[in-house]
Amino acid sequence: MRIKKPSGTKQEYKIYSNIEERNLASSKLENGQEVKVLDASSDENISSGWAIYKYDKESSLFDLLEKEEQPVIPEFPEIPTVFEPDNVSIETTPNNLLTATDAVISMRTDVRILEDFDYSIRPLGDNLYLEPIGGQRTVKVEVNGVIQYLSLSSQQIGFNAFDNGGKGKRVHWNMWGKISTTNTLATNMPYETNADGSVITTTPLNIDSQMIIMQVSAQVHSTGTVKPELIRIHKYWKKSVVPAEERIIIPEASPLADNVTIATKVGGVDKLVVPELQHAYYENIKIMKGFSMQANVDVTAKQVNFTFNDSTNKLSIPVSTPSGTKYLKLVPFTMNSAFFNSCKKGAAAYITVSGLLMDTDAEESSGMQLSKYNDGSATDTKPRDVIADKLMLVCQVRFDVLLQSYWPWNQRMVTIFKTWEQALAPAEERIQTESYNLDKVTLFETRLSEKDSIFAPELCNANPVNIKLLEDFDFTFSTALTFTGSKPYLQCELVGGNRLINVVVDGVNKKMSLASEGVVMQDIFNTNYHGKWTYFTLLAPIDDGASGIHPLGTEYENDNGDIMHVTQYPNSNQFKLAQIGVKFEADGETLDLKNVRIMKYWKKSLAPFDELMQDYQQRIS
């Protein structure tokens, strides 16, 4: 059956009682003649009622032009209005409080996720199916300063946990990720629900074996079906992912000749070996800080100058050993033409470079130890006891000795085989991290400066849009008592130490001072900080950086420690870094760091990722 639009002119129809009667009379119809069938229900395209057809004599087919019945449009229940300030949905909890589901506090302040990830979700039969993009696996997390493993598992979730299967309403699941001290993938993903399907009030778990990583919600039709576009994932884990500079490791290419240099003689014996791949360390030796090594050929003086980290300074590199931390001493050195006089002309000379291993960071070394064979042999490098030798192989250098002494030198004569990289500890072990790193968001407040108000402070724009930060950073927190022994204070510690960072204000490059700050609670709030949340804001000065690093400032709403109303400064010489909330139960207590919140306003002013990485590359080069 073909369907066509009716012609625009009024027609006189030949009328038939049913389809069978119309078909019997088809031989008498003209090409293009229109007919009306009073009961067209035997047509597979029509359930009931009349229909109008146009006859095509050449094909002996009837084209459907019009029919009495109308398409049935399914009725969906009216979805209640959702207010979405800054794309965040405000929902009502079972105890009639309002919450911004995307901005809840779901993880403790001592949880740091060291690798980002994502999940997809889709209907699967009568259920929903959650699946980690990239497949099931574990990712590293830091819990209270200890590296552990978070399982990213697939999970099927259904609607039978809800009253009447959740039909006609939006329902919610809290999804929990399992944490283990061993790199073992959990086969399932626990979750929790409310029977009425309402949003789940979420707080950090006081256990180390699980964490709440997301809340899933779906609008269920009265028939029990779910449309994919009405499913949401509230990604709580994003709040605890460490800054990009800690997660992204930029590899440094080794300067290999033809990508792999093969020596044909080793220790005076003819055999093949790849010096870059020679293993020189026991498995329990780990270099805990990365470094670079440069070889600059002085073609005039005919010598090679070796430096570390592009500097003529000495370095002291921590090395983890079974006997504790030792320190590898790296000292810039030179190889001149006289050094190669005894070497075979027109062949490659292989030189091992070793550094002294000392007990303390303060001890200094007079230089590196060099050794070579004069017949063009590479060193037969094998693991040795660096603790007993107090000497650690750093690298092997290949130098192409010229056949004639008067030939000019060039940079291509030198290749560095970075032997030390075999003992370099994984990035996660080398990165200096603190025990407690906060990524918390205040859900909502119902009282603000004597005004009834509801807002999500984490989502507020606290600084002018004309300020862009070119470097990310973070704070950790600890608590103690002042020297009087009675006044508790909160130590806001800047990870990586005090420094100036690059910022752009109205297109002009400037500097922002970042520093650690200790806040004595009693000095701000008198005795009004016991047993409740109190809040203050950290302020960072912005200037040309000529006068060095300035201390941070603080401000607060009032002596009661109320949540601060977030407004933008009219000038660009001071920046609101973060609003911090803390809850002390009593003087002399040890503060539970679950009772610390940080709203990171600086995150909203970070430059786009490519600008951040460009500035980062410039700073490390």
Side-chain angles (χ1 to χ4, degrees), residues 110-157:
D110 59 347
V111 172
R112 287 161 47 91
I113 298 177
L114 303 181
E115 178 185 339
D116 201 0
F117 53 89
D118 214 338
Y119 266 82
S120 65
I121 187 169
R122 56 185 170 87
L124 182 64
D126 295 332
N127 302 303
L128 300 180
Y129 188 68
L130 267 170
E131 185 174 22
I133 296 175
Q136 299 188 95
R137 62 193 184 279
T138 62
V139 297
K140 288 185 178 180
V141 297
E142 181 186 306
V143 181
N144 196 19
V146 178
I147 299 297
Q148 299 192 36
Y149 298 89
L150 170 64
S151 288
L152 304 183
S153 309
S154 300
Q155 183 63 44
Q156 185 169 289
I157 53 178

Side-chain angles (χ1 to χ4, degrees), residues 29 52 58 67 85 88 148 150 236 313 387-388 397 476 482 530 573 594:
L29 297 176
I52 296 174
E58 182 178 350
K67 61 181 179 179
V88 176
Q148 299 192 36
L150 170 64
Y236 297 157
N313 296 328
I387 304 301
V397 175
T476 63
T482 61
H530 292 140
N573 58 14
K594 289 189 302 181

Side-chain angles (χ1 to χ4, degrees), residues 86-319:
D86 297 326
N87 295 322
V88 176
S89 298
I90 306 297
E91 301 182 79
T92 305
T93 64
N95 54 347
N96 291 325
L97 295 177
L98 296 181
T99 180
T101 314
D102 265 330
V104 302
I105 304 169
S106 69
M107 295 189 191
R108 302 199 311 260
T109 62
D110 59 347
V111 172
R112 287 161 47 91
I113 298 177
L114 303 181
E115 178 185 339
D116 201 0
F117 53 89
D118 214 338
Y119 266 82
S120 65
I121 187 169
R122 56 185 170 87
L124 182 64
D126 295 332
N127 302 303
L128 300 180
Y129 188 68
L130 267 170
E131 185 174 22
I133 296 175
Q136 299 188 95
R137 62 193 184 279
T138 62
V139 297
K140 288 185 178 180
V141 297
E142 181 186 306
V143 181
N144 196 19
V146 178
I147 299 297
Q148 299 192 36
Y149 298 89
L150 170 64
S151 288
L152 304 183
S153 309
S154 300
Q155 183 63 44
Q156 185 169 289
I157 53 178
F159 301 91
N160 54 4
F162 306 111
D163 298 335
N164 194 32
K167 295 177 181 178
K169 63 173 68 174
R170 179 166 285 280
V171 295
H172 298 76
W173 298 261
N174 247 2
M175 308 304 301
W176 298 21
K178 293 184 177 181
I179 302 176
S180 174
T181 56
T182 60
N183 189 7
T184 305
L185 178 67
T187 56
N188 69 313
M189 197 176 193
Y191 59 88
E192 61 176 336
T193 60
N194 291 329
D196 61 359
S198 59
V199 63
I200 303 167
T201 303
T202 303
T203 57
L205 300 176
N206 193 27
I207 56 176
D208 292 336
S209 59
Q210 295 183 104
M211 65 173 64
I212 302 173
I213 62 173
M214 72 179 89
Q215 188 162 166
V216 176
S217 67
Q219 180 68 38
V220 187
H221 185 253
S222 59
T223 61
T225 59
V226 175
K227 292 184 176 181
E229 63 267 24
L230 297 180
I231 303 172
R232 298 176 186 166
I233 298 179
H234 304 286
K235 302 178 181 181
Y236 297 157
W237 75 82
K238 293 287 187 183
K239 302 283 185 182
S240 293
V241 175
V242 300
E245 288 188 12
E246 295 187 42
R247 287 182 281 122
I248 297 178
I249 306 300
I250 301 176
E252 181 181 356
S254 299
L256 299 180
D258 299 324
N259 292 321
V260 177
T261 298
I262 299 178
T264 59
K265 203 169 188 178
V266 181
V269 178
D270 291 332
K271 67 177 180 178
L272 300 180
V273 69
V274 181
E276 179 80 1
L277 304 180
Q278 287 181 292
H279 186 54
Y281 308 104
Y282 293 133
E283 295 296 334
N284 54 13
I285 302 297
K286 291 184 179 180
I287 297 175
M288 302 307 295
K289 185 177 181 180
F291 58 89
S292 61
M293 183 177 177
Q294 296 77 39
N296 298 303
V297 177
D298 187 334
V299 297
T300 302
K302 290 191 175 182
Q303 64 184 29
V304 188
N305 300 313
F306 293 87
T307 57
F308 299 95
N309 288 354
D310 286 312
S311 170
T312 57
N313 296 328
K314 299 178 180 180
L315 297 183
S316 181
I317 303 297
V319 178

Side-chain angles (χ1 to χ4, degrees), residues 391-422:
L391 197 65
M392 187 169 182
L393 179 64
V394 175
C395 65
Q396 191 164 181
V397 175
R398 167 178 164 157
F399 181 83
D400 294 330
V401 183
L402 297 174
L403 187 61
Q404 301 294 340
S405 60
Y406 56 84
W407 286 0
W409 284 30
N410 59 73
Q411 187 67 41
R412 297 187 302 275
M413 299 167 68
V414 181
T415 302
I416 299 177
F417 303 111
K418 300 182 178 181
T419 312
W420 77 83
E421 290 187 344
Q422 298 181 22

